Amino acid sequence: MGVPEKLAERMSMAEQHEYLRARFSRRTMIRGGAVTLGAVTGGAFVPGATAQAAAPARPAAPAAPVDGARVAPFGRHLAWGNDPRTEVTVSWQVPVAVKKPFIRIGAHPWDLSRKLEAEVRTLYTPAGVGASGDHTQYYLHARLTRLRPGRTYYYGVGHQGFDPAEPHLLGTVGTFTTAPAHKAPFTFTAFGDEGVGYHGLANNSLLLGQNPAFHLHAGDIAYADPSGAGKTADTGFDARTWDSFLAQTETVAKQVPWMPAYGNHDMEAWYSPNGYGGEDARWTLPDNGPDRKNLPGVYSFVYGNTAVISLDANDISFEIPANLGISGGTQTKWLEGQLKKFRAAKDVDFVVVFFHHCAYCTSTAHASEGGVREEWVPLFEKYTVDLVINGHNHQYERTDVIKDGRVVKKLPIGGTAYPETEGVVYVTAGAAGRSLYAFSAPDTYEGHEHETDSVASFVNTEDGKVHETVGWSRVRYLNYSFLRVDVSPAPKGRQATLKVSGIAETGDRVDHFTVSRTAK
């Protein structure tokens, strides 16, 4: 329940915040009974909060108005809408409540004539939740629709007192480019497990140099919850980590759509039963998934000739079961429907799937997730998925071509896979910035190859860890890195390609291979 509409019309953003903060204070919510979004346990995502009837609390005195000229937006991040050719959402943050936030957009930096009101989502974290203290975050979102394909737009975000169209603020103007209307070559990047720190910042600077059309973040985004069990008993949570993260990634994300999937460290249980109340405040992602309420990080989009599917492996994780079974099977059914649809689509050649927990990895930390192997791997093979990208394990690892749990073709560095007739290649790209894990076998990567066809590992199952010896681990690189994918369309009947490269934080290439498929 938000501020009543008639009351909201007469209140500033700061006054609305204070009203809601009092209305949904910890004492009021406990007295009121059940609260959606788990607010009783500490957090309160204001826009969606609802409570049973309760004695009204006296609103606190409104905060003193803030001079908007002294407040600058930060943490800009873009995301595709359902159709990247025509829809983009611009999101950002302000450190304090401001009045009348908006976005300006135009075809030139000196002509930002179109002005649109922004949506405000207030996320309040009271003292006693981890290390956060009493902290309020203000996230703003502007959905842009009916854009033209393949066009570069200029935008500026502001509020009363801070107008990016003013000459002295033109340096705050950003850009984005919509997806083309037809097939054309493009590049995208991917990694998982970034967090806040030097290595994440270094990888971001390299990302920008790849000139990607978009970036995929395969879960474990900011690590505000360092425990990662998805429970209110997790220790060390600090909501302020998100402020640092969004500032860190802004250089890339303000101009490159940053598309996340959710990992175990992204389940912040204080805000909602599914742990995603905080994520709902921070991100506006495509809303075409199977269960927007429980699985807001599940969606798909098509860019050029490539379909991309984001999944939520928390739903099927035996290793970290906080959200195990939350979709009731609807996510897997939706996945099959998406795969079937994209394989039948006349303009889609490649299907890329990304999510957090690994289907195949030999890390000594998390290794492989049995839930993924049971639920999704058979579908990846049935519909000949071209590339699967994971995080979770903090290293780079790439498999051979796999089908039915075995190697059907060795894929050396520089080799080519043909998913139509062979199998699926899996890449763990979880070395974006957090502390590194380890392998049980020696590193083997471009220029330093040590072939090992037998590697000791394990898989997380419903009954616990099951040890296994595998032969599919082809490339292992234990240092910070990310993934670059160059997509090249082709005329009908010719071979379209994905050229996949593992890029180290140093800029060196540690792996490369090609996925080839007959173009439609």
Side-chain angles (χ1 to χ4, degrees), residues 350-364:
F350 296 110
V351 177
V352 174
V353 181
F354 77 109
F355 51 93
H356 189 58
H357 305 60
C358 299
Y360 294 98
C361 184
T362 63
S363 165
T364 58

Side-chain angles (χ1 to χ4, degrees), residues 403-421:
K403 190 172 185 178
D404 295 327
R406 61 183 181 85
V407 175
V408 295
K409 175 185 175 179
K410 288 187 177 182
L411 188 62
I413 293 171
T416 300
Y418 299 91
E420 290 173 284
T421 58

Side-chain angles (χ1 to χ4, degrees), residues 164-362:
E166 294 180 5
H168 70 288
L169 293 177
L170 286 179
T172 67
V173 173
T175 68
F176 63 83
T177 302
T178 54
H182 307 290
K183 296 180 181 182
F186 69 94
T187 297
F188 71 89
T189 52
F191 61 40
D193 305 78
E194 182 181 4
V196 177
Y198 168 79
H199 296 291
L201 188 63
N203 265 331
N204 286 345
S205 66
L206 284 176
L207 282 179
L208 195 57
Q210 314 303 311
N211 192 29
F214 55 86
H215 176 68
L216 307 179
H217 194 143
D220 283 7
I221 303 168
Y223 283 84
D225 177 9
S227 297
K231 299 179 179 179
T232 55
D234 287 1
T235 58
F237 175 74
D238 192 338
R240 296 168 297 185
T241 302
W242 280 100
D243 303 344
S244 299
F245 176 82
L246 290 173
Q248 172 180 290
T249 58
E250 183 174 17
T251 302
V252 182
K254 71 179 182 181
Q255 56 189 306
V256 176
W258 193 283
M259 308 302 295
Y262 294 154
N264 56 292
H265 285 273
D266 305 315
M267 295 185 290
E268 298 169 349
W270 304 272
Y271 298 115
S272 63
N274 64 0
Y276 301 136
E279 309 302 353
D280 280 338
R282 302 173 189 115
W283 305 95
T284 297
L285 302 172
D287 59 2
N288 53 18
D291 186 350
R292 184 67 186 80
K293 178 180 178 181
N294 287 315
L295 299 173
V298 178
Y299 57 87
S300 67
F301 63 88
V302 176
Y303 189 103
N305 69 336
T306 302
V308 178
I309 301 174
S310 170
L311 299 176
D312 186 342
N314 292 318
D315 179 31
I316 60 170
S317 172
F318 293 131
E319 180 196 14
I320 303 169
N323 273 358
L324 180 61
I326 194 170
S327 79
T330 59
Q331 182 176 196
T332 298
K333 292 178 182 177
W334 176 85
L335 170 61
E336 180 159 23
Q338 293 290 293
L339 293 173
K340 186 176 182 179
K341 177 182 73 174
F342 290 139
R343 279 291 167 241
K346 64 178 182 179
D347 294 326
V348 173
D349 296 322
F350 296 110
V351 177
V352 174
V353 181
F354 77 109
F355 51 93
H356 189 58
H357 305 60
C358 299
Y360 294 98
C361 184
T362 63

Side-chain angles (χ1 to χ4, degrees), residues 34 107-108 118 131 213 330-331 364 381 387 420 430 463 467 480 495 505:
H108 306 283
T330 59
Q331 182 176 196
T364 58
E381 295 176 355
L387 181 65
E420 290 173 284
D463 298 321
H467 293 279
Y480 297 99
Q495 292 300 111
E505 182 188 77

Side-chain angles (χ1 to χ4, degrees), residues 80-153:
W80 297 128
N82 293 343
D83 185 350
R85 297 172 300 180
T86 60
E87 301 173 4
V88 170
T89 295
V90 180
S91 303
W92 66 100
Q93 196 172 349
V94 287
V96 295
V98 295
K99 294 182 179 180
K100 300 180 179 179
F102 62 86
I103 185 171
R104 287 188 178 275
I105 185 170
H108 306 283
W110 58 84
D111 181 20
L112 302 178
S113 56
R114 188 178 181 192
K115 183 179 179 182
L116 301 170
E117 182 180 353
E119 174 193 0
V120 181
R121 301 177 192 168
T122 303
L123 187 66
Y124 172 54
T125 308
V129 175
S132 293
D134 196 77
H135 191 51
T136 300
Q137 293 162 307
Y138 304 92
Y139 298 103
L140 303 104
H141 304 264
R143 301 189 188 201
L144 306 177
T145 61
R146 294 182 289 181
L147 302 171
R148 295 186 178 183
R151 295 292 184 92
T152 296
Y153 289 89

